[in-house]
Amino acid sequence: MATNSAPADDTGRDAQVIADKSVPVAILLALVLSPVAYYYVGRTKLAVINLLTLNYLMLGIVAVPVHVYKIISDARNERGGGTEDW
């Protein structure tokens, strides 16, 4: 019986792809163009929401870099690599 994973669930190949992303590039994108940072880490729905809400009513300047870092570090931890390779 096949099970479907949740869209935000980073399992298998998706976690590997996200874990290979550069943390400094992701944070820089999050500071300059928040929707692009979400797209960079494979979160298209969050990118659209961020764009439509005008960067979470400008709270995204703080929230998005932290969230993007957490997405990448969680994917690396799931892969077993940690966050040592900034």
Side-chain angles (χ1 to χ4, degrees), residues 49-50 52-61:
I49 291 169
N50 185 276
L52 293 176
T53 60
L54 300 174
N55 197 17
Y56 303 128
L57 299 176
M58 298 310 291
L59 294 173
I61 288 178

Side-chain angles (χ1 to χ4, degrees), residues 26-27 30 34 37-38 40-41 63-73:
I27 292 175
S34 298
Y38 277 133
Y40 178 70
V41 295
V64 175
V66 172
H67 190 214
V68 168
Y69 173 78
K70 179 118 174 74
I71 290 169
I72 294 173
S73 65

